[in-house]
Amino acid sequence: MARHAVEANFDGLIGPTHNYAGLSWGNVASRTNVRAVSNPREAALQGLAKMKQLADRGYVQGVLPPHERPHLPTLRALGFAGKDDEVLRNAARNSPLILAAVSSASTMWTANAATVSPSADTADNRVHFTPANLSAKFHRSIEHNVTGRALKAIFADDAYFAHHPALPPVSQFGDEGAANHTRLCSSYGDAGVELFVYGQVAFDERAPGPKLYPARQTLEASQAIARLHGLNDRNTVFAQQNPDAIDAGVFHNDVIAVGNGNMLFYHEMAFLDEDRMLADIGARLTGTELEALRVSNDQVPLEDAVASYLFNSQLLNTPDGMMLAVPGECREIESVSRYLDTQVRSDGPITSVEVFDVKQSMRNGGGPACLRLRVVLNDDELDAMHPGVLLNDALYERLTTWVEAHYRSELRQDDLGDPMLLEEVRKGLDELTGILGLGSVYDFQQ
Ligand code: SUG
């Protein structure tokens, strides 16, 4: 008998050092906006507004804290020595790109924070978490320790929750978390099918892969996560991304596909062997039929899909169907806007479209779906988690006031070495752990 369960979305609170450093080769927006002046305050408020709107509509909405950036322990591990301000000055003068990397607010994109398997799918009936090693990009490879600490603090009861360390931090086990993982099911509390999408097979040099941009997720990493989480062949499907899509800027599968319930919404260029993947899912899904909503290149050219982030949307259940929560850019690109209107007018599965302004994040290649980590929880698990990170009116007000007090409205690359910035960040984050009731998760607090 299936338990009642909900999909809770945990958005990354956008950190005070949000900036545009062009760190992600293969992510078109990150490269296009390199050295643009960012507005961390606006970014964080945009993220909070999205969370609030969804919480107001009745969705369970949580928040994950930003990390300490610039991350001085990483600079010290790389040989920058002295007092904190000397370390910063030295890095700014001699290695500004390393300083930019350890200053990125990239933990906002919590779709990459971890892979999560709901208890209905796992052998021991616990919810399993594995923080992603994010080893494809240096600036993101330093996230998983603190991410793991925060997840353990929030989902602490080991009767319900199991936490694994990140996979070995090498390219053969490159893991980008839930951005390459979708779950299809009849209802959230039922056993589902977990679809793992990878960019490349690591241990087979002849296997197809992208020619221009890196494939960040490997099959071997996805298989390791499935083993760790106690999944089995009957509830997992592994599918390869189309290498041409990666070379067109689809650096994660969630830039070109999104699933919810029994529906998979995707672009025709998303997968290498679409037919096999659909058959594999169809054969495993119980209690419902797979609904595959495929968008052709004629309807939405791949480059429009990448530029608009149509598929980096949240697909959410509503009483009469599904809502697609899209970034504002979808209304700026004609083919996409037309497609959305046609969908809503038809009697297809997408019954409404809601637009969110997350432009500050979008300029670094992060849309609404990048900003959230989905955690399916049954009623007991929801009761067992730390409630202090669940968004309600009071927490929204406190976080908004907190952002307004601690964030700058302009940040340039040259500001990253400012010792005042580090001080502002630490002061702010110290206060934040108090607001969220998380205890000391940061290195500077240990
Ligand atoms: O890893 N951008 C992120 C965007 C992550 C989007 N997440 C998902 N698709 N789930 C990345 O490429 C850019 C940072 C900079 O250039 O300053 C960056 O890290």
Side-chain angles (χ1 to χ4, degrees):
M1 191 38 198
R3 307 279 310 271
H4 175 260
V6 295
E7 178 190 274
N9 281 277
F10 290 82
D11 279 46
L13 182 56
I14 297 173
T17 59
H18 158 65
N19 73 92
Y20 300 115
L23 300 172
S24 279
W25 172 240
N27 166 344
V28 181
S30 151
R31 280 302 174 118
T32 311
N33 294 303
V34 59
R35 298 193 75 83
V37 181
S38 66
N39 183 336
R41 181 184 301 173
E42 183 180 65
L45 295 177
Q46 286 175 345
L48 278 166
K50 165 167 110 72
M51 296 184 226
K52 174 80 162 81
Q53 257 169 278
L54 293 174
D56 284 348
R57 284 171 164 269
Y59 299 105
V60 180
Q61 179 67 58
V63 52
L64 294 177
H67 293 195
E68 170 193 355
R69 297 288 183 271
H71 194 240
L72 274 278
T74 301
L75 288 180
R76 291 184 188 284
L78 295 174
F80 297 98
K83 296 211 182 71
D84 284 353
D85 56 341
E86 288 173 273
V87 168
L88 277 177
R89 205 174 324 114
N90 195 352
R93 193 179 318 119
N94 299 313
S95 310
L97 289 178
I98 294 180
L99 177 61
V102 305
S103 302
S104 175
S106 55
T107 62
M108 73 177 82
W109 300 298
T110 52
N112 306 115
T115 307
V116 184
S117 294
S119 56
D121 299 349
T122 62
D124 64 2
N125 298 115
R126 293 189 295 167
V127 185
H128 283 247
F129 299 83
T130 302
N133 61 25
L134 296 168
S135 59
K137 303 284 173 206
F138 170 59
H139 69 291
R140 305 217 59 185
S141 69
I142 59 173
E143 296 179 20
H144 64 85
N145 278 333
V146 173
T147 298
R149 267 183 230 154
L151 290 173
K152 279 184 191 158
I154 295 167
F155 303 100
D157 188 338
D158 63 10
Y160 297 102
F161 307 115
H163 295 271
H164 307 277
L167 298 180
V170 289
S171 61
Q172 285 94 335
F173 289 103
D175 174 24
E176 300 276 321
N180 295 315
H181 174 255
T182 302
R183 178 172 185 260
L184 299 145
C185 59
S186 166
S187 72
Y188 294 129
D190 287 308
V193 177
E194 299 197 19
L195 171 64
F196 289 86
V197 182
Y198 59 93
Q200 190 135 33
V201 180
F203 291 105
D204 179 357
E205 282 152 18
R206 290 155 309 157
K211 295 189 171 55
L212 176 63
Y213 291 143
R216 297 199 200 179
Q217 178 92 30
T218 67
L219 171 64
E220 290 82 351
S222 300
Q223 288 171 330
I225 304 276
R227 275 191 298 271
L228 288 163
H229 289 196
L231 307 180
N232 60 52
D233 178 57
R234 288 184 315 284
N235 61 12
T236 49
V237 171
F238 299 92
Q240 182 164 357
Q241 257 190 294
N242 184 337
D244 294 342
I246 297 180
D247 282 339
V250 181
F251 56 99
H252 290 135
N253 182 59
D254 71 0
V255 175
I256 200 165
V258 56
N260 177 49
N262 68 341
M263 155 122 125
L264 186 63
F265 176 48
Y266 65 98
H267 191 272
E268 69 167 299
M269 293 286 289
F271 304 103
L272 193 57
D273 191 347
E274 177 187 343
D275 292 341
R276 186 194 64 82
M277 179 199 68
L278 294 177
D280 284 352
I281 298 172
R284 287 164 177 76
L285 202 55
T286 51
T288 182
E289 295 285 308
L290 174 67
E291 176 133 28
L293 183 59
R294 176 187 204 258
V295 182
S296 70
N297 229 3
D298 288 343
Q299 290 168 301
V300 177
L302 181 58
E303 57 172 347
D304 287 0
V306 173
S308 65
Y309 263 41
L310 166 64
F311 297 94
N312 200 262
S313 298
Q314 290 180 242
L315 201 48
L316 296 155
N317 291 340
T318 61
D320 55 2
M322 284 193 206
M323 169 175 108
L324 195 66
V326 303
E329 286 71 1
C330 286
R331 285 298 184 195
E332 291 163 15
I333 293 179
E334 208 208 319
S335 65
V336 176
S337 193
R338 195 175 342 110
Y339 176 82
L340 289 173
D341 290 338
T342 315
Q343 272 309 310
V344 176
R345 273 201 302 271
S346 74
D347 50 346
I350 298 176
T351 44
S352 60
V353 170
E354 199 72 40
V355 178
F356 290 85
D357 178 6
V358 288
K359 219 175 210 44
Q360 286 285 329
S361 165
M362 281 287 285
R363 289 194 193 121
N364 256 336
C370 297
L371 287 163
R372 62 95 171 93
L373 179 67
R374 299 191 274 191
V375 184
V376 167
L377 298 166
N378 67 32
D379 296 340
D380 293 341
E381 292 154 359
L382 194 56
D383 279 349
M385 68 162 279
H386 171 61
V389 293
L390 293 177
L391 200 79
N392 52 27
D393 289 348
L395 182 59
Y396 172 76
E397 290 306 328
R398 283 191 84 181
L399 291 175
T400 304
T401 308
W402 175 81
V403 167
E404 277 160 357
H406 295 284
Y407 281 50
R408 299 185 182 188
S409 57
E410 272 188 15
L411 203 61
R412 296 177 170 74
Q413 294 304 295
D414 291 345
D415 298 328
L416 299 176
D418 176 3
M420 286 298 292
L421 181 67
L422 179 67
E423 221 172 280
E424 288 161 30
V425 168
R426 286 183 175 166
K427 190 160 172 277
L429 293 185
D430 210 29
E431 201 179 306
L432 182 68
T433 44
I435 296 174
L436 299 176
L438 280 181
S440 306
V441 289
Y442 297 115
D443 292 326
F444 75 91
Q445 296 172 316
Q446 310 268 310

